[in-house]
Amino acid sequence: MTLRTLRRLSQILFLGLFALFVCTAALRNPFLETDPFIAFTNALATHALYRGLLWSLAILIPTLFLGRFFCGWICPLGTLNHWAGNIRSVAKSGRRRIQSNRYQPWQAFKYYFLLALLAAALLGSAIGGLFDPIVLAARSLALSVLPAGSYSLAHAGPLSYLLFSPQAHFRQGFLLGLLLILILALNFRITRFWCRALCPLGALLGLVSRWSILGLEKNQDQCGDCNRCLLHCQGGDDPIPGAHWRKSECHLCMNCVADCPESGIRFRFFSRTSASATAPNLIRRKLLTGVAAGAAAVPLLRANTGLDAEPHPRRIRPPAALNERQFLARCIRCAECIRVCPTNALQPALAEAGWEGIWTPVLAPRIGYCEPACTLCGQVCPTGAIWQFTAAEKGWAGTAAHPIRLGTAFYDRGRCLPWAMATECIVCEEWCPTSPKAIYLRPAEVTDSAGNAKQIQQPYLDPERCVGCGACEFACPVKGEPAIHVTSVGESRSPTNQILLRRAPKSVDWLPDTGDAPGWTKSGETRQFDPAGLWKYIDGDAERYLRAGVRRTLTATYRYRNTVEAVVDIHLMASPAAARAFFESEPAVGSRPVPLDDAARTYGQSLTFRRAAFFVRLVAYQDTPQTAPALLSLARAIDSRLTATNAITES
Amino acid sequence: MGMGTQAGITRRNLLCAGLGGAVALRAAAPEKSRVVIASDPALRATFASPESARVLKLLDRAVQSFYAADSPLAAWKKIARPNEVVGLKVNCLSGRGAATSTVLVEAIGERLQQAGIPARNIVVWDRLNSDLESAGFQPASRKDRIRCLGNDSAGYGMDLAVFGSAGSLLSNTLTKTCDAVINLPVLKDHGIAGVTLALKNVFGAIHNPNKYHVNAGNPYIADVNMFPAIRQKIRLTICDAISAQYEGGPSYMPQWSWSFNGLLVARDPVALDYTGWQILERKRAEKGFKSLRDLHREPLYIATAADSAHRLGTNDPQRIDLVKV
């Protein structure tokens, strides 16, 4: 087996592996993790020792010995370019083909470009990721080629059964596909133009390869000047006799070795050929220009609006994304998060994140919403722009004190069916995934267009609970512009992109502990309910409390000397007047007043009292001679607790 | 004289007349909905738990009477076949005191097993495991014994059931696990819907009961009962009226509870609800409380359930065959 055959097998193998990682959700793409250019970019941009630097040694160390083997044997975009370059074209026929594979001075452009991108990284922008070949291939395949393939399969009649997932749609999918096609089409003119002239990773590896110990040996005596070694040369590295072989350009494709009819070309370690140029041919002035261009690019990009000034309201980042500056320093636009998003909610940005943020991920709630239990974007992000969060840290399904917020939803009451058209609709509330729900309903009497009075439920949003997942906007049945839309304001990652709201009310426990009342043991945990979730505790009766303006309800069970079990409910009403009205609305038949707080009555087996804005109910399950006095002692302990806390003044 | 001109009774005319008369008679006298009220005044004199043996006897009496069977066992065998999974839809939301009695549920479980239904095919269920626990049931999912499941652990299906103004996801326990359901509500007042009995108890089978309390639950309660899985699977309602509550429901309010010491059994949920409502109204009047109509919480959903759009049963006292045993 020749080295060329081995190289071909390697290309097929690695391209297959790459495709597998692109097609498989939840698998971190090791090609991205080990990409040295990404590693350097992130290390410079974050000014930190980046984990990827270690992994990139898997590429860099072999490059030190072998040269740019990665470009010829592994790089998936290189392989695609290689295959495209093999397609016959008029521009590369006959002598022009040989001429096109000679080294050209413009091939040095990629080094200046690399320096420009690294300079931009040093100033805090990972925009260089846009041009990384691995990133480019991953992004193009995921956002353009695969969706197009899904569409084709879905419309391929019997073959449609092969389609195991619904087709995703991505903004700019066409543009990204066109860009890939353009890069591949350039091969019709010049073989691997991208790799020779533009690729920053190729340039980096070219710089490192100057120390490689593997070199080309040309046997001038055997050469018949047939130039066949140039026919399929991938790097434009001049393997022909009489010219300097350019180590930093060679992809080790082994075509020259295989094509030489005289077997006059071979690679060997520590070769002693004198006709080679180990370092790229760079001009200092151009190097400085490259650095200056990169250094100027970042301030220029940030002179634009969209980052600090006038951030786009739809710049809704994935959950656990770092704050915007750190995010831009890490996000390489690989689209891994966009690819794995199960609801198709993440989309490549165009204008939402400013010029610098092009193709970074943003949530598009009209297309999809952020699934509460999903953590895939964090799992696959190769650079930590989205940290590896857990569902518990996301905190949407439970009662996490500080859930990750992507933004906040706002109603457009001019379009909302219950508000604008007296039509029943509770879809947004149904879809709201938080617990308790951020969207709650209030009954209202409205008049329809025919003048009929009708009772419907109108939705409201509690911004303290909204996490900006976009489910409400996604599900809103109002076509066109939705009646509810999510903006990034309130996102957890930004201390400034906030509206003046009090988040996470202070946790209080007005219920006495064991021993606070003689003989009483607290036998269950305190459960707390807000108005929207009160129905979970007292379904059916909750409305009575809601009408009275209940703000919060706490409940717990107690046991008195193993003879009486009781449940205590403390309701904080909107005002002392509301508590009084509620207290007085309950029938007093069969009760007698007891001296406690503002007003209290006992029914023997139960006791109710009010204090300021609190309404308290104690209910015992056993009717014993001790029940009534025991309940009274527990009520007094509750009263002491309510007095001791500053809850009353708070209310 | 030819046959064609003979003006007399032909065999065809006779049969037609007879058939027509039978149909007319059937239409004129529709079958009554039987509601059995079984009571045992000595069952529960105080707020202590009722005695198991007495509850079992009361239950037997009620079910045997309802099915007019020769023996209690024969009656129980009419409810479900041995290979069927029977769900017992209890009412636990308000916790002990205002929930379906565990003693009654144990008695039903015992009789079902004697009727040939293995323990593994009996499922006690309600909305939440925590609700079940608060009412004294122990959630259990082992399949070799009677299961006790909240919908929060069994989950809800993905198919939206829709009727009228109601649209809900249904409990997997109802739709996937159970072949038949015995509805076990409690006789009690409801602060919004007026009363909560057989019709209202199915709110524990849907994922969004909080949506349907608007307008005193009318027409939502009737609409939810029209969901095919609910309408078709509920074979019998046994309303726990051992302890009943005439005010302050559905939460447990001991000051407005009393020992009714009985059970209401019916297949027609509307007839049972109407009967139970009247019992509660009488008790309210006796205790000096205003009627539900005066308080603007008359359970209008009962009439809606009986209307021509629903036909879930009858709320016409003339068409209710009330049997007291």
Side-chain angles (χ1 to χ4, degrees):
Chain A
M1 186 181 290
T2 65
L3 284 171
R4 178 156 72 175
T5 310
L6 268 179
R7 186 259 302 156
R8 285 173 176 161
L9 289 174
S10 167
Q11 284 179 302
I12 292 169
L13 172 72
F14 282 104
L15 185 64
L17 272 175
F18 184 75
L20 178 73
F21 284 113
V22 171
C23 292
T24 312
L27 281 182
R28 291 174 77 96
N29 191 330
F31 287 84
L32 290 164
E33 302 254 349
T34 54
D35 185 327
F37 174 64
I38 296 301
F40 278 102
T41 299
N42 272 276
L44 289 172
T46 58
H47 306 156
L49 279 177
Y50 171 65
R51 180 186 56 188
L53 280 172
L54 185 65
W55 300 126
S56 70
L57 294 178
I59 306 294
L60 288 174
I61 291 175
T63 303
L64 276 174
F65 291 94
L66 304 172
R68 287 175 63 181
F69 78 103
F70 180 84
C71 303
W73 292 59
I74 295 174
C75 179
L77 186 64
T79 300
L80 293 176
N81 274 320
H82 191 147
W83 290 348
N86 283 347
I87 299 171
R88 288 178 186 279
S89 72
V90 178
K92 292 196 306 185
S93 61
R95 185 175 297 171
R96 279 181 289 185
R97 181 183 188 97
I98 289 173
Q99 194 56 38
S100 76
N101 283 340
R102 291 293 310 271
Y103 174 77
Q104 305 294 335
W106 47 254
Q107 287 182 228
F109 176 79
K110 61 178 174 288
Y111 299 103
Y112 309 130
F113 190 42
L114 169 69
L115 281 175
L117 297 178
L118 292 179
L122 195 61
L123 293 178
S125 176
I127 198 165
L130 279 174
F131 306 98
D132 181 86
I134 309 296
V135 169
L136 199 150
R139 186 174 59 226
S140 304
L141 287 179
L143 306 192
S144 185
V145 178
L146 282 179
S150 296
Y151 176 86
S152 306
L153 267 182
H155 294 81
L159 287 176
S160 60
Y161 74 92
L162 291 171
L163 192 63
F164 49 84
S165 63
Q167 190 205 339
H169 296 82
F170 296 105
R171 293 171 177 170
Q172 306 161 62
F174 176 72
L175 179 66
L176 291 165
L178 208 61
L179 189 66
L180 180 66
I181 290 168
L182 177 69
I183 290 169
L184 295 179
L186 284 170
N187 289 286
F188 295 149
R189 190 108 197 144
I190 295 166
T191 298
R192 294 184 77 157
F193 176 79
W194 167 270
C195 312
R196 292 185 193 182
L198 296 168
C199 181
L201 175 60
L204 179 65
L205 297 178
L207 289 173
V208 174
S209 68
R210 66 170 295 171
W211 295 288
S212 75
I213 53 173
L214 185 67
L216 184 83
E217 272 192 2
K218 308 175 198 178
N219 192 332
Q220 308 264 14
D221 301 336
Q222 289 175 290
C223 180
D225 290 333
C226 65
N227 285 336
R228 286 190 183 177
C229 53
L230 285 174
L231 266 180
H232 300 104
C233 178
Q234 297 298 305
D237 50 271
D238 279 351
I240 52 170
H244 286 296
W245 173 65
R246 294 174 186 277
K247 191 189 274 188
S248 57
E249 302 299 322
C250 179
H251 295 179
L252 280 84
C253 65
M254 302 296 163
N255 283 337
C256 54
V257 177
D259 286 344
C260 181
E262 307 298 336
S263 303
I265 300 175
R266 63 175 183 165
F267 280 88
R268 51 178 298 197
F269 290 107
F270 304 109
S271 67
R272 294 183 178 180
T273 178
S274 57
S276 68
T278 51
N281 189 15
L282 302 177
I283 300 166
R284 188 182 301 161
R285 182 178 297 172
K286 292 186 177 178
L287 283 173
L288 290 172
T289 306
V291 172
V298 176
L300 273 175
L301 286 168
R302 294 186 178 177
N304 210 72
T305 58
L307 178 60
D308 295 328
E310 199 190 8
H312 198 290
R314 297 291 261 182
R315 191 186 67 193
I316 308 165
R317 293 299 189 191
L322 301 175
N323 76 45
E324 190 63 13
R325 279 182 182 275
Q326 291 175 335
F327 184 78
L328 290 175
R330 285 180 182 262
C331 178
I332 53 172
R333 289 80 167 165
C334 63
E336 285 293 284
C337 52
I338 299 173
R339 172 179 70 82
V340 299
C341 180
T343 60
N344 203 185
L346 291 180
Q347 297 285 324
L350 185 60
E352 295 92 335
W355 285 94
E356 191 184 351
I358 190 167
W359 298 341
T360 53
V362 290
L363 190 86
R366 213 49 178 151
I367 301 172
Y369 61 98
C370 191
E371 187 69 40
C374 179
T375 58
L376 282 175
C377 51
Q379 286 177 42
V380 298
C381 180
T383 62
I386 306 169
W387 49 274
Q388 286 191 43
F389 62 104
T390 63
E393 285 167 329
K394 200 173 180 182
W396 293 0
T399 52
H402 302 290
I404 296 172
R405 298 176 200 279
L406 314 186
T408 310
F410 294 88
Y411 276 104
D412 180 348
R413 290 187 179 178
R415 298 179 65 83
C416 180
L417 297 178
W419 283 103
M421 300 168 209
T423 302
E424 284 187 68
C425 178
I426 54 170
V427 173
C428 51
E429 194 267 2
E430 291 270 7
W431 275 73
C432 182
T434 60
S435 179
K437 285 178 184 284
I439 295 175
Y440 56 95
L441 304 168
R442 287 272 183 270
E445 191 154 292
V446 295
T447 308
D448 65 15
S449 56
N452 302 316
K454 60 189 286 193
Q455 198 179 47
I456 60 170
Q457 300 189 83
Q458 292 175 326
Y460 292 78
L461 185 122
D462 182 348
E464 290 187 3
R465 289 198 208 100
C466 181
V467 292
C469 68
C472 49
E473 182 177 335
F474 171 73
C476 179
V478 178
K479 297 300 176 192
E481 286 294 316
I484 186 166
H485 60 277
V486 178
T487 73
S488 63
V489 67
E491 56 185 342
S492 304
R493 68 198 190 103
S494 167
T496 54
N497 189 18
Q498 304 290 331
I499 42 180
L500 286 174
L501 289 172
R502 183 172 54 86
R503 298 278 191 199
K506 198 169 72 176
S507 179
V508 291
D509 195 345
W510 306 312
L511 289 153
D513 293 321
T514 297
D516 284 359
W520 283 100
T521 308
K522 192 175 177 196
S523 55
E525 291 296 312
T526 298
R527 291 192 294 158
Q528 188 171 170
F529 300 90
D530 53 14
L534 188 58
W535 68 277
K536 291 178 182 171
Y537 177 49
I538 35 179
D539 188 20
D541 210 17
E543 280 77 358
R544 200 160 61 92
Y545 293 85
L546 293 175
R547 279 198 297 270
V550 66
R551 284 183 180 180
R552 210 176 306 164
T553 295
L554 271 71
T555 183
T557 53
Y558 288 83
R559 185 183 291 275
Y560 179 74
R561 292 189 178 130
N562 290 327
T563 55
V564 178
E565 292 164 287
V567 61
V568 175
D569 298 336
I570 301 180
H571 306 278
L572 173 61
M573 299 301 189
S575 62
R580 184 189 312 118
F582 191 85
F583 179 82
E584 288 168 1
S585 72
E586 297 216 326
V589 181
S591 70
R592 61 181 174 81
V594 285
L596 187 70
D597 291 314
D598 300 337
R601 59 171 79 108
T602 177
Y603 299 85
Q605 207 180 328
S606 71
L607 186 151
T608 55
F609 72 88
R610 65 177 175 84
R611 173 180 180 77
F614 290 97
F615 173 80
V616 183
R617 188 192 305 281
L618 299 86
V619 174
Y621 289 110
Q622 291 81 21
D623 189 16
T624 69
Q626 300 159 305
T627 301
L631 282 182
L632 187 59
S633 73
L634 182 59
R636 289 201 170 109
I638 295 167
D639 176 46
S640 303
R641 182 61 78 101
L642 292 178
T643 310
T645 63
N646 58 0
I648 295 171
T649 49
E650 251 186 15
S651 66
Chain B
M1 186 179 290
M3 290 295 285
T5 58
Q6 189 177 5
I9 299 170
T10 65
R11 186 184 303 154
R12 180 178 295 175
N13 288 344
L14 185 67
L15 284 173
C16 286
L19 197 62
V23 169
L25 196 65
R26 177 81 180 169
E31 191 178 331
K32 285 188 170 184
S33 290
R34 174 173 291 186
V35 178
V36 170
I37 302 177
S39 56
D40 175 2
L43 185 67
R44 187 169 181 260
T46 64
F47 284 94
S49 287
E51 193 186 326
S52 301
R54 290 193 85 101
V55 171
L56 203 56
K57 280 183 186 172
L58 180 68
L59 179 68
D60 281 345
R61 191 145 45 88
V63 175
Q64 186 180 355
S65 170
F66 179 78
Y67 285 104
D70 295 335
S71 68
L73 203 56
W76 282 103
K77 284 181 176 174
K78 291 185 178 185
I79 297 173
R81 287 183 285 278
N83 59 347
E84 287 184 315
V85 177
V86 180
L88 305 180
K89 170 62 185 75
V90 290
N91 184 312
C92 297
L93 183 68
S94 310
R96 273 183 308 162
T100 310
S101 157
T102 53
V103 179
L104 174 66
V105 175
E106 281 168 10
I108 294 171
E110 187 178 331
R111 282 294 183 255
L112 284 173
Q113 290 179 70
Q114 286 169 356
I117 295 163
R120 65 176 181 275
N121 283 353
I122 299 171
V123 184
V124 179
W125 63 281
D126 201 356
R127 210 180 56 182
L128 301 172
N129 278 336
S130 57
D131 286 353
L132 286 161
E133 282 178 296
S134 70
F137 297 96
Q138 188 60 46
S141 55
R142 275 182 59 169
K143 292 188 176 179
D144 58 343
R145 57 183 67 171
I146 291 180
R147 281 172 280 171
C148 186
L149 292 173
N151 294 340
D152 52 344
S153 61
Y156 294 91
M158 294 303 290
D159 298 325
L160 189 70
V162 177
F163 185 89
S165 305
S168 302
L169 304 179
L170 293 171
S171 157
N172 284 333
T173 307
L174 171 74
T175 56
K176 295 179 180 168
T177 308
C178 296
D179 300 308
V181 170
I182 300 176
N183 192 7
L184 301 173
V186 178
L187 179 62
K188 62 179 175 178
D189 169 81
H190 192 283
I192 292 168
V195 298
T196 169
L197 296 160
L199 292 166
K200 176 75 170 57
N201 195 35
V202 302
F203 270 24
I206 60 176
H207 83 293
N208 54 354
N210 56 320
K211 308 292 157 53
Y212 302 136
H213 288 98
V214 181
N215 198 34
N218 187 32
Y220 307 103
I221 297 174
D223 286 346
V224 168
N225 276 271
M226 289 297 287
F227 294 159
I230 292 175
R231 195 173 185 183
Q232 292 162 9
K233 290 196 175 180
I234 296 180
R235 301 261 176 95
L236 188 69
T237 299
I238 302 174
C239 177
D240 180 354
I242 298 169
S243 172
Q245 186 173 318
Y246 55 89
E247 172 64 28
S251 303
Y252 176 48
M253 301 287 169
Q255 65 270 34
W256 299 311
S257 300
W258 89 105
S259 294
F260 182 82
N261 286 332
L263 299 174
L264 278 67
V265 179
R267 196 183 287 140
D268 177 346
V270 186
L272 187 140
D273 276 21
Y274 179 82
T275 308
W277 170 28
Q278 299 311 310
I279 293 171
L280 292 175
E281 287 283 24
R282 282 196 292 274
K283 192 67 182 178
R284 292 179 66 84
E286 177 192 324
K287 294 288 185 181
F289 282 77
K290 288 182 179 175
S291 72
L292 295 176
R293 174 176 292 180
D294 292 340
L295 293 171
H296 306 294
R297 53 186 179 99
E298 180 184 9
L300 294 174
Y301 68 85
I302 297 177
T304 303
D307 69 15
S308 59
H310 295 82
R311 295 182 189 280
L312 286 164
T314 181
N315 65 336
D316 178 359
Q318 302 301 316
R319 291 175 57 195
I320 296 174
D321 176 18
L322 193 61
V323 179
K324 293 184 178 177
V325 292

